[in-house]
Amino acid sequence: MNYATPPQYLSDFGIDEALQLLRDEERLLTKQLLLDAIAGTWTGTPSAEEQAAATAALARLTAKLEASGAFMDGYLRAAVTLPVDAGASYYSNLRDCCLALTRYALADDAENATDRMDAIAKQWREWLRDVSARRVSLTADDGSVAATGGGVLYGQAKSAYDWCRFGTVR
């Protein structure tokens, strides 16, 4: 599930940082080109190479957001029913988690990564493990909890087999 969008990423971390992380692979990328790619319209007359660089950077950002969402779903499905209600107040935690994990994924080398990014991503991964283990619940402002799902079923079901006669000869 997509918990965050490219515009939300830019809003949280700023265009300059996003540009630095995305420009790592796309040297032609500029602020305006990235904003234009997100908007879906081009300002001025960028060359085909510039448009391709901006489109590739946006595709990389979108793919990392989707991968982070899928990673989160792997943990969440053990505790809650997916998809999670995007209108619930706890959804902002999921959005923040996705953005932090995406930021860490984009900072894929020592040139871009920081210890702080690593620590924040680690904190969110631990939070996901806690949600998965049901030590933490997704609770809305009104006190309601996200619909639960997944989990392990255990116990003993009633059997129609006559176990008292098991092993006896007729």
Side-chain angles (χ1 to χ4, degrees):
M1 181 172 175
N2 289 343
Y3 296 101
T5 63
Q8 289 171 333
Y9 185 91
L10 295 183
S11 175
D12 271 29
F13 302 117
I15 184 81
D16 290 327
E17 181 181 305
L19 195 63
Q20 175 189 345
L21 296 176
L22 294 168
R23 189 185 282 158
D24 195 33
E25 282 79 20
E26 302 295 340
R27 299 287 179 204
L28 296 175
L29 191 62
T30 65
K31 288 180 187 180
Q32 190 59 53
L33 286 170
L34 181 57
L35 292 171
D36 288 352
I38 291 171
T41 60
W42 301 107
T43 303
T45 55
S47 69
E49 293 84 15
E50 291 171 325
Q51 289 181 21
T55 302
L58 177 59
R60 182 170 176 244
L61 175 56
T62 302
K64 294 292 185 183
L65 286 166
E66 290 171 357
S68 294
F71 174 79
M72 292 169 59
D73 284 348
Y75 284 97
L76 294 171
R77 79 174 21 96
V80 300
T81 302
L82 297 177
V84 177
D85 178 16
S89 56
Y90 55 77
Y91 196 83
S92 62
N93 289 336
L94 297 173
R95 183 188 67 86
D96 291 348
C97 178
C98 183
L99 290 172
L101 294 174
T102 299
R103 182 185 194 200
Y104 182 72
L106 286 172
D108 57 359
D109 56 30
E111 188 177 295
N112 294 323
T114 66
D115 289 340
R116 179 151 172 77
M117 283 181 195
D118 182 41
I120 291 170
K122 182 180 179 185
Q123 172 190 338
W124 282 113
R125 287 190 302 269
E126 288 171 359
W127 179 78
L128 287 169
R129 282 192 282 279
D130 286 344
V131 170
S132 178
R134 299 179 189 222
R135 287 186 292 268
V136 172
S137 62
L138 301 180
T139 307
D141 289 342
D142 64 2
S144 63
V145 178
T148 59
V152 177
L153 299 177
Y154 57 91
Q156 186 175 9
K158 182 164 175 63
S159 173
Y161 188 81
D162 184 2
W163 289 99
C164 293
R165 294 182 50 144
F166 180 73
T168 59
V169 180
R170 291 186 186 185

